Amino acid sequence: MSVPKDSPLPKRTIAPLFWLLFGAGGMLSALFGPALILITGIMIPHGWGVPERLGSYDTVLAFARNPLGKLVLLALIALLFWHAAERLFLTLHDMRVGTVTVLRWLTYGVAFVLTIVTAVVLLMVGF
């Protein structure tokens, strides 16, 4: 069923999907980004307030091999890629670097490829 050209209804787009990924990635980066930097960048290397084995290779590998850990890592990494893609797209669009279609393919395409690569790498780690 097609919508007539003079219809008062707005044209349907997939833009809300990208805004959903952008919003989820922004929320994750705002909520967990500082905590991850604090834990992995400061506390674990100095051994301040964390168990001694928390940052060991075996512990991190066990987390990455756990199916729930894989989902957490995939969601965190992929949504941050989508958040960055939307930010880059809006910045490049405001700077009038290229056409909207080219910018969408470049930014969202890279985010899509990186999401797939992340999923493949997490699957290659094993269970």
Side-chain angles (χ1 to χ4, degrees), residues 54 56-74 76 122 125-126:
L54 183 64
S56 71
Y57 178 79
D58 293 333
T59 305
V60 174
L61 183 61
F63 180 73
R65 285 184 171 171
N66 185 320
L68 185 60
K70 285 183 189 306
L71 284 176
V72 169
L73 289 173
L74 179 64
L76 186 64
L122 286 172
V125 169

Side-chain angles (χ1 to χ4, degrees), residues 1-4 7-18 104:
M1 183 173 161
S2 66
V3 178
S7 172
L9 298 174
K11 184 180 172 187
R12 289 182 181 238
T13 65
I14 60 169
L17 176 65
F18 294 114
R104 282 185 180 151

Side-chain angles (χ1 to χ4, degrees), residues 84-113:
E86 181 70 19
R87 289 237 180 237
L88 282 173
F89 169 75
L90 293 174
T91 301
L92 294 173
H93 180 64
D94 288 345
M95 295 172 61
R96 300 178 192 270
V97 171
T99 64
V100 171
T101 305
V102 170
L103 292 177
R104 282 185 180 151
W105 277 105
L106 282 177
T107 55
Y108 301 142
V110 169
F112 178 76
V113 168

Side-chain angles (χ1 to χ4, degrees), residues 4-32:
K5 290 183 178 184
D6 59 347
S7 172
L9 298 174
K11 184 180 172 187
R12 289 182 181 238
T13 65
I14 60 169
L17 176 65
F18 294 114
W19 280 102
L20 173 71
L21 294 169
F22 169 71
M27 184 195 72
L28 282 177
S29 66
L31 289 177
F32 297 114

